[in-house]
Amino acid sequence: MEETAKLIVDGKTYELPMVRGTEGERAVDISKLRDETGLITLDPGYPNTGACKSSITFMDGEQGILRYRGYPVEQLAERSTFVETAYLLINGELPSREELTRFSVLLNDHSLVHRDMLHFFDNFPRRAHPMGILSSMVNALRAFYPELPERSEEEEILVTFTRLISKIRTMAAISYKLSRGHEVIYPRPDLTYAANFLNMMFDSPVRPYEVDPDVAQALNVFWILHADHEQNCSTAAVRLVGSARVNLYAAISAGICALWGPLHGGANQAVVEMLEDIQENGGDPGPFIERAKDRQDPFRLMGFGHRVYKTYDPRAKIMKKMADRVLKKQKGSDPLLDIARRLEEVALEDPYFIDHHLYPNVDFYSGIVMRALGIPTNMFTVMFAIGRLPGWISQWKESMDDPGWRLQRPRQVYTGPNERDYIPMDKRK
Ligand code: CMC
């Protein structure tokens, strides 16, 4: 029997259909609500609103589960590569050997950026934030790579996807090199995706860089953990902007802007800045925890809390272990890791954090991993963006392929003045 929910308004009962997902989650379908009742729903910040059906990523915030296309993120982090995971997210299935080779060849073919784009990088102020540069450059890609009429729609989409995934990494490394006044290092066809990025970042004509396979592997895991997270703020931005049928570059550029915010991807930079602040103030996390609990103080413990996870973020568990491993290998130790561990210990025993279900999220330990890999603090969120790109692309693709696609356009409950007449300037108070 079809499940329904009942809504009673002004004594009249309306039956609303229910939807059930493959993992048993239930939703009340209100898509005909306004037509049938004249009512809308109000849900600021959308914690109770499902904006779409999606078969890409499943997360259970109570149990700390995250799966891409059904595969647990823990298994992918241990056994897959970022490129393979990107393929999985976009295409729905793990690739065969041939499919993966074809995908890698395409990534290699599209890894250079148009020479004229280098002038853009030259003209950003030196102190410009790399996320601002990245979102502008991704948007600019459309001007340099317009649609080609001789390509089929399918080919065009495939080229656009691989171009984005490949070039975003090249552009991130270029912006780093130019910010330091160094020569640009170009991608090499003999290196894997992660190794290529490390080489473009750290190789130099006077100091050749040898890619350490363990470091490249750590980067793969970092990116896999960030690859998708269902309807988070930046993905919702990509879907919303994309719903106006704008080109993919523009939609991704919007996602990058959303990710920049400190409540979202920008938290990884904010966490390390907070840990440095604690270090400069003697290393005791106590006063910072007290500030985070004070309602009068806007300060929040960065890297703690999540809209969906009400338990330990499964990505943070992996990231914490990786921070230990990478640090041992690269630097031996980092005082910020000790502070982070102390902070976590104290916070997890504090009734405020227990009652509010606030646990470390993915960003809590990721900055420490990035520091150990030699990535500068202001590029942490760029690293997140490179990782999230396959998720944004697959979510965009899913929304474009949806037969029930509609322009995303929420409504509102108006609370402003009622109609009134225009007041000439000399009559205004
Ligand atoms: N420190 C102190 N209190 C917090 C924190 C925190 N980090 N996070 C939430 N709270 C409190 C908040 O003050 C509120 O308390 P009360 O109900 O007593 O007024 C309650 O918890 C609920 O907060 P909320 O803002 O309504 O929760 P939300 O689901 O809208 O926010 C969040 C989620 C991630 C924005 C928030 O937890 C936060 O600001 N965390 C710090 C920033 C951060 O680490 N962001 C990265 C998120 S994970 C990666 C990603 O998505 O990019």
Side-chain angles (χ1 to χ4, degrees):
M1 205 178 74
E2 201 192 320
E3 274 187 297
T4 53
K6 285 193 171 59
L7 175 72
I8 303 170
V9 184
D10 300 333
K12 193 167 172 207
T13 302
Y14 299 91
E15 295 233 349
L16 300 169
M18 306 254 309
V19 180
R20 193 181 275 265
T22 48
E23 291 288 343
E25 65 283 22
R26 297 157 81 209
V28 180
D29 178 351
I30 56 156
S31 51
K32 300 271 183 299
L33 184 73
R34 193 165 184 281
D35 286 348
E36 288 174 9
T37 67
L39 299 170
I40 61 166
T41 56
L42 183 62
D43 186 22
Y46 311 133
N48 307 290
T49 297
C52 59
K53 291 183 197 162
S54 178
S55 60
I56 302 170
T57 288
F58 172 69
M59 55 190 290
D60 180 326
E62 273 69 38
Q63 297 190 63
I65 293 173
L66 175 62
R67 297 185 203 130
Y68 302 155
R69 302 283 191 185
Y71 296 101
V73 75
E74 293 80 4
Q75 286 183 25
L76 293 168
E78 203 178 313
R79 300 167 67 180
S80 184
T81 61
F82 175 61
V83 168
E84 186 184 61
T85 299
Y87 185 100
L88 168 72
L89 282 167
I90 294 169
N91 297 291
E93 296 296 338
L94 286 167
S96 66
R97 200 177 296 280
E98 292 71 37
E99 285 166 336
L100 187 58
T101 305
R102 219 170 33 239
F103 190 46
S104 301
V105 167
L106 271 176
L107 288 175
N108 178 58
D109 288 351
H110 291 289
S111 57
L112 290 171
V113 295
H114 196 293
R115 231 193 149 284
D116 291 349
M117 289 191 92
L118 293 181
H119 301 306
F120 284 43
F121 286 106
D122 281 338
N123 290 307
F124 282 105
R126 272 286 151 87
R127 293 173 61 82
H129 195 284
M131 282 297 273
I133 298 178
L134 192 69
S135 68
S136 312
M137 296 306 284
V138 165
N139 208 358
L141 281 174
R142 175 58 168 190
F144 285 86
Y145 302 98
E147 262 175 49
L148 296 179
E150 63 270 24
R151 277 200 201 117
S152 70
E153 196 184 340
E154 209 176 310
E155 268 178 308
E156 187 64 45
I157 286 178
L158 182 65
V159 168
T160 307
F161 290 175
T162 44
R163 181 186 283 146
L164 265 165
I165 294 173
S166 196
K167 287 192 196 326
I168 195 173
R169 166 198 59 164
T170 311
M171 293 194 303
I174 291 177
S175 74
Y176 169 68
K177 281 295 193 194
L178 294 180
S179 74
R180 307 204 61 193
H182 290 177
E183 281 299 310
V184 168
I185 305 290
Y186 290 97
R188 276 179 24 197
D190 58 316
L191 294 178
T192 62
Y193 187 91
N196 234 323
F197 175 74
L198 289 165
N199 191 61
M200 284 191 273
M201 287 286 288
F202 302 122
D203 189 38
S204 133
V206 292
R207 192 182 288 224
Y209 176 77
E210 195 64 43
V211 179
D212 179 333
D214 289 344
V215 172
Q217 178 50 18
L219 193 51
N220 264 300
V221 175
F222 177 92
W223 280 331
I224 289 171
L225 294 181
H226 287 87
D228 195 45
H229 217 222
E230 50 119 299
Q231 307 312 314
N232 58 87
C233 177
S234 56
T235 300
V238 169
R239 279 190 180 253
L240 185 132
V241 172
S243 80
R245 289 285 194 229
V246 72
N247 67 79
L248 177 60
Y249 302 109
I252 298 291
S253 172
I256 294 171
C257 290
L259 188 73
W260 191 357
L263 295 189
H264 191 12
N268 56 13
Q269 175 173 343
V271 168
V272 163
E273 286 165 354
M274 175 186 76
L275 295 174
E276 284 170 342
D277 207 3
I278 298 175
Q279 186 183 32
E280 278 160 26
N281 284 282
D284 177 10
F288 287 77
I289 290 177
E290 289 313 309
R291 277 189 63 195
K293 289 154 55 177
D294 180 357
R295 290 262 179 103
Q296 309 309 317
D297 190 332
F299 175 77
R300 285 185 166 198
L301 217 51
M302 300 314 286
F304 260 75
H306 197 275
R307 171 62 62 80
V308 181
Y309 293 124
K310 298 303 161 203
T311 183
Y312 214 110
D313 180 336
R315 303 166 301 170
K317 280 189 193 158
I318 303 173
M319 203 66 89
K320 186 178 179 182
K321 281 198 200 128
M322 191 158 81
D324 274 325
R325 254 201 328 271
V326 174
L327 262 176
K328 269 195 198 108
K329 169 111 200 183
Q330 293 299 102
K331 304 201 324 193
S333 65
D334 182 345
L336 294 195
L337 178 60
D338 301 331
I339 294 174
R341 282 211 203 93
R342 270 206 304 283
L343 179 76
E344 180 190 334
E345 244 172 64
V346 180
L348 292 187
E349 287 189 355
D350 189 296
Y352 174 91
F353 288 85
I354 296 170
D355 293 349
H356 285 78
H357 306 290
L358 299 171
Y359 293 85
N361 59 48
V362 68
D363 294 315
F364 193 65
Y365 287 103
S366 71
I368 292 168
V369 171
M370 289 294 98
R371 265 162 71 92
L373 298 184
I375 309 291
T377 312
N378 69 352
M379 275 198 65
F380 290 176
T381 315
V382 167
M383 301 300 290
F384 190 153
I386 298 173
R388 183 55 53 89
L389 186 57
W392 288 332
I393 290 175
S394 39
Q395 300 270 353
W396 177 87
K397 180 170 180 280
E398 186 176 65
S399 70
M400 292 297 127
D401 292 346
D402 184 350
W405 168 88
R406 290 189 82 179
L407 174 76
Q408 292 196 24
R409 202 297 189 189
R411 303 198 62 121
Q412 63 168 19
V413 176
Y414 175 70
T415 57
N418 296 115
E419 186 178 0
R420 48 188 175 164
D421 288 327
Y422 179 82
I423 308 166
M425 184 70 79
D426 56 359
K427 299 253 165 55
R428 289 177 212 163
K429 284 194 211 125

